[in-house]
Amino acid sequence: MTTVLTYGTFDLFHIGHLRLIERLTAMGDRLVVGVSTDEFNAGKGKRSVVSYEDRAAIVAAIKGVDLVIPERAWEQKRTDIIEQGVDVFVMGDDWKGKFDDLSDVCEVRYLPRTSGVSSTEIKDMLRTL
Ligand code: C2G
């Protein structure tokens, strides 16, 4: 059984998020998604429109997602990989190279982002309406 792991904020859940999760689902048998908590985002200087509880509920309801875990810290990835028996850790290619240090515990891959859509662009567009 192949377990796949990814992390993200998934604010204003959009088609780019869905396409990523669909591709992750096709890469294995079990998909674990770490959803960043509001406190973790605050530490990154980011604020989401949608609360952690709602973002986690939306991601958990997507077909193919088996488990949602909270992402509370940068350093938890290695522990999560070991605890969850992860075979492949995958992120969008905006993170290319950033998590290569984990390649001693599992395969690390980066997938191309869906072009033309992002939570930031949606927020910017809403300001102009
Ligand atoms: N994504 C994508 N295409 C888009 C937008 C996003 O493939 N058009 C992918 C990103 O590359 C990422 C995932 O969707 O892998 C979630 O994106 P964000 O919600 O922006 O998450 P981010 O803030 O990058 O959080 O520890 C890592 C962080 O928690 C990642």
Side-chain angles (χ1 to χ4, degrees), residues 35-54:
V35 174
S36 58
T37 62
D38 297 330
E39 293 75 16
F40 181 58
N41 286 338
K44 287 197 257 180
K46 280 175 76 172
R47 220 182 80 194
S48 61
V49 175
V50 181
S51 70
Y52 167 74
E53 285 72 20
D54 290 0

Side-chain angles (χ1 to χ4, degrees), residues 8-10 17 20 46 71 74 77 92 94-95 113-114 117:
T9 309
F10 301 103
H17 296 144
L20 178 81
K46 280 175 76 172
E71 181 187 28
W74 291 109
K77 292 186 175 68
D94 44 327
W95 291 96
R113 277 170 68 94
T114 300
V117 61

Side-chain angles (χ1 to χ4, degrees), residues 55-95:
R55 288 181 287 113
I58 290 164
V59 172
I62 304 296
K63 192 166 66 177
V65 175
D66 294 291
L67 178 68
V68 167
I69 58 172
E71 181 187 28
R72 296 194 170 93
W74 291 109
E75 319 76 64
Q76 76 183 66
K77 292 186 175 68
R78 183 170 289 272
T79 324
D80 290 345
I81 288 168
I82 293 159
E83 275 180 13
Q84 295 295 332
V86 170
D87 301 284
V88 197
F89 172 73
V90 193
M91 294 293 294
D93 62 5
D94 44 327
W95 291 96

